Amino acid sequence: MLSCPSFSIADCLSLPLCLITLSLLLLQAMTASYLPATTDSIALASKAEDPFEAISILHKILENPSSSPDAIRIKEQAITILSDLFTQHNMAEDLHALLTQLRPFFAVIPKAKTAKIVRGIIDSVSKIPGTSDVQIALCKELVLWARAEKRALLRQRVETRLAALFVETKEYSEALALLTSLVKEVKGVDDKRLLVEILLLESKLHYLLKDRHKAGTALTAAKKAANAVYMPPTQQGAIDLHSGILFAEDKEYTTAYSYFFEAFEALNAVEDPRAIFSLKYMLLCKIMTNQSRDVAGLISSKAGLKYFGPELNFMKAVADAHSNRSLRSFEKVLRDYRYQLETDPTIYNHLSSRYEALVELNLCRYIEPFSRVEIPHIAGLIDLPVDFVEKKLAQMILDRKFVGILDQGAGQIIIFDEPKKDALLPAALKTISSFGKVVDSLFIKSSKIVP
């Protein structure tokens, strides 16, 4: 507890006027239920050495019943400072309580300012790690309040944030149901920017559910809506980033690279943290198109050096291993940078397929000199388990990667020469097909002549 300071008249006369004012405010803060909504009260909170004392002062400013324009402006500053303090000290529940405390204040300010304050507090909660459950509970509570107060636009934005949280926590069925209703509702009010955000989120959800067709349909609808209104660079960059991910999923890495480049340009210009993902995916496209030697140039560029760190070190190590076609180096990189690999599903999926291709390439290289060879010998050369090598060789035979059979009894693989294609057979089939068309044509003509 703070001790109440005592001042004599002589002491007060010897102090500067600003210090006298702050001292009186401090006395009032300790005794009154609220403080005047003035800049002096904000200054008092900012000069408090104990953050909890500053929080107490800011709460008392918000308790002030005045609703004059100056008081509202000061209260908005107090809310911002209070949110920052709660975020710095990981006080998620206090942020939750703050929104409940501010409901009477929301009744006297414009709806646009209410939406801005609500979004700001939700963003503050999201900066605190491990608060997904608190954010979901907060959004659900706000949705009920907004529905009761008939604030449709605010409710729609909070529901969009709630759907994003459902996607983040892998509650896909709840997210899909919420997004489906939101799309229908927002199309009716013609809010293009919100509609783009919802459709983009829906596309990401379908992508996670492995429904490529619906993901592409939702993304096309989002692009169409975005063309009708100005989009901020961050949102346009998010659209391009997701477009590149979908094209990369279809193995169209050249087109994906162009989208990732556009996303990087937009996000890097505003220093959005998602810019590094665009750059990583650009490097991924270079690796997947066998242009691994270009990776070092992109990383050493002016824009690349800005994001240099473990993520780009990982991509450079992958590019070097792939360029050398070394399976052991590739495996070592995946082990050494396991965290970077497992925390990014896009990188994980594509590098897994590239690892499979590299295994097949090395197996073909090792079995090429032989017509018959023991499988344990090949497994020893490639340094992989015998069971894995045997299954992989069987799969390659079925996929016609080479011609051969497995002799499981002897534990051997027998490789045959690639059969030569007979050029005469396709020509004969084409000629027979042409004869068939001629006969069909003559039959149709004769049926018209003869009744």
Side-chain angles (χ1 to χ4, degrees):
M1 295 293 295
L2 292 171
S3 59
C4 181
S6 59
F7 296 97
S8 65
I9 296 175
D11 291 335
C12 289
L13 290 175
S14 64
L15 289 172
L17 182 61
C18 61
L19 289 180
I20 294 173
T21 305
L22 287 175
S23 299
L24 292 173
L25 280 172
L26 180 59
L27 285 170
Q28 188 176 356
M30 295 166 62
T31 57
S33 60
Y34 64 85
L35 284 175
T38 61
T39 53
D40 290 333
S41 299
I42 294 292
L44 182 64
S46 63
K47 290 186 177 181
E49 295 182 0
D50 185 1
F52 296 100
E53 181 185 346
I55 290 170
S56 176
I57 293 170
L58 292 167
H59 271 301
K60 289 185 178 182
I61 295 173
L62 295 177
E63 291 294 334
N64 191 304
S66 175
S67 58
S68 65
D70 289 338
I72 289 174
R73 179 174 55 82
I74 294 299
K75 287 181 181 180
E76 289 174 6
Q77 293 181 24
I79 292 168
T80 303
I81 298 171
L82 198 53
S83 299
D84 291 341
L85 285 171
F86 285 149
T87 304
Q88 290 170 14
H89 296 86
N90 295 334
M91 301 167 69
E93 292 295 343
D94 293 87
L95 282 165
H96 188 172
L98 177 62
L99 268 178
T100 305
Q101 178 190 351
L102 291 174
R103 288 180 185 178
F105 178 63
F106 292 152
V108 297
I109 63 173
K111 292 182 178 180
K113 283 190 176 181
T114 299
K116 181 181 178 182
I117 292 171
V118 168
R119 288 200 303 271
I121 293 177
I122 295 175
D123 289 339
S124 296
V125 178
S126 68
K127 293 176 184 177
I128 302 174
T131 58
S132 296
D133 293 339
V134 176
Q135 292 178 64
I136 290 173
L138 179 60
C139 288
K140 287 181 176 178
E141 187 179 313
L142 279 170
V143 167
L144 293 176
W145 174 78
R147 184 174 282 115
E149 294 290 324
K150 297 182 179 179
R151 301 194 178 208
L153 293 177
L154 177 60
R155 176 181 55 78
Q156 289 164 0
R157 291 194 175 277
V158 175
E159 284 183 332
T160 304
R161 185 59 174 268
L162 180 59
L165 288 167
F166 281 147
V167 173
E168 183 182 327
T169 55
K170 299 184 179 181
E171 298 179 38
Y172 297 141
S173 57
E174 291 86 347
L176 186 58
L178 187 54
L179 287 172
T180 303
S181 63
L182 273 173
V183 169
K184 294 178 182 177
E185 187 177 355
V186 175
K187 280 183 178 179
V189 298
D190 200 30
D191 187 343
K192 295 294 185 183
R193 288 186 182 176
L194 182 58
L195 180 61
V196 169
E197 186 178 348
I198 293 168
L199 288 170
L200 183 60
L201 184 57
E202 184 185 13
S203 178
K204 292 178 180 178
L205 175 59
H206 286 304
Y207 169 72
L208 292 171
L209 293 172
K210 308 298 182 184
D211 193 333
R212 175 63 182 84
H213 176 70
K214 287 186 178 179
T217 303
L219 181 61
T220 302
K223 289 180 178 179
K224 184 178 178 181
N227 289 334
V229 66
Y230 169 76
M231 299 301 297
T234 52
Q235 203 158 5
Q236 186 60 52
I239 293 172
D240 290 334
L241 180 60
H242 187 59
S243 299
I245 290 173
L246 292 188
F247 275 104
E249 188 72 15
D250 294 336
K251 311 298 182 187
E252 297 181 26
Y253 294 110
T254 304
T255 306
Y257 180 87
S258 64
Y259 274 110
F260 291 139
F261 180 78
E262 293 293 332
F264 179 72
E265 289 286 309
L267 297 173
N268 181 51
V270 294
E271 298 187 351
D272 190 289
R274 290 172 293 182
I276 190 170
F277 290 98
S278 304
L279 182 56
K280 279 169 56 181
Y281 298 156
M282 287 167 60
L283 302 178
L284 175 67
C285 290
K286 289 293 185 182
I287 294 170
M288 300 303 288
T289 52
N290 296 318
Q291 301 178 54
S292 301
R293 299 186 185 279
D294 295 343
V295 169
L298 286 171
I299 292 176
S300 60
S301 65
K302 182 179 179 181
L305 290 173
K306 181 179 177 182
Y307 298 96
F308 192 76
E311 300 291 341
L312 297 191
N313 282 337
F314 167 52
M315 298 307 297
K316 186 177 184 303
V318 170
D320 291 340
H322 184 266
S323 179
N324 297 329
R325 299 186 181 277
S326 171
L327 185 62
R328 292 180 182 178
S329 299
F330 201 88
E331 289 177 333
K332 184 177 184 302
V333 170
L334 298 185
R335 286 195 305 269
D336 293 345
Y337 293 92
R338 188 170 183 175
Y339 174 79
Q340 284 76 13
L341 179 68
E342 294 181 348
T343 54
D344 193 329
T346 302
I347 296 287
Y348 181 85
N349 292 336
H350 289 283
L351 289 187
S352 295
S353 65
R354 180 53 58 178
Y355 174 75
E356 293 292 324
L358 203 55
V359 169
E360 292 179 1
L361 182 66
N362 278 266
L363 283 174
C364 287
R365 187 175 67 184
Y366 284 128
I367 67 174
E368 186 178 4
F370 302 101
S371 59
R372 179 191 290 264
V373 61
E374 293 180 347
I375 296 175
H377 177 66
I378 297 296
L381 291 174
I382 203 171
D383 197 19
L384 287 173
V386 175
D387 292 342
F388 175 82
V389 172
E390 185 176 340
K391 290 179 182 178
K392 193 64 184 175
L393 289 171
Q395 181 185 344
M396 291 171 67
I397 292 172
L398 294 174
D399 292 340
R400 299 181 183 275
K401 298 294 176 66
F402 66 91
V403 182
I405 59 172
L406 284 175
D407 186 350
Q408 291 181 318
Q412 297 177 344
I413 181 170
I414 303 170
I415 302 100
F416 303 119
D417 293 333
E418 194 75 27
K420 295 181 179 180
K421 293 183 179 179
D422 190 350
L424 185 61
L425 184 59
L429 291 173
K430 187 176 180 180
T431 303
I432 293 171
S433 177
S434 299
F435 273 127
K437 291 178 182 178
V438 171
V439 171
D440 292 339
S441 177
L442 290 174
F443 177 79
I444 293 170
K445 290 181 179 179
S446 63
S447 62
K448 291 180 180 178
I449 297 172
V450 180

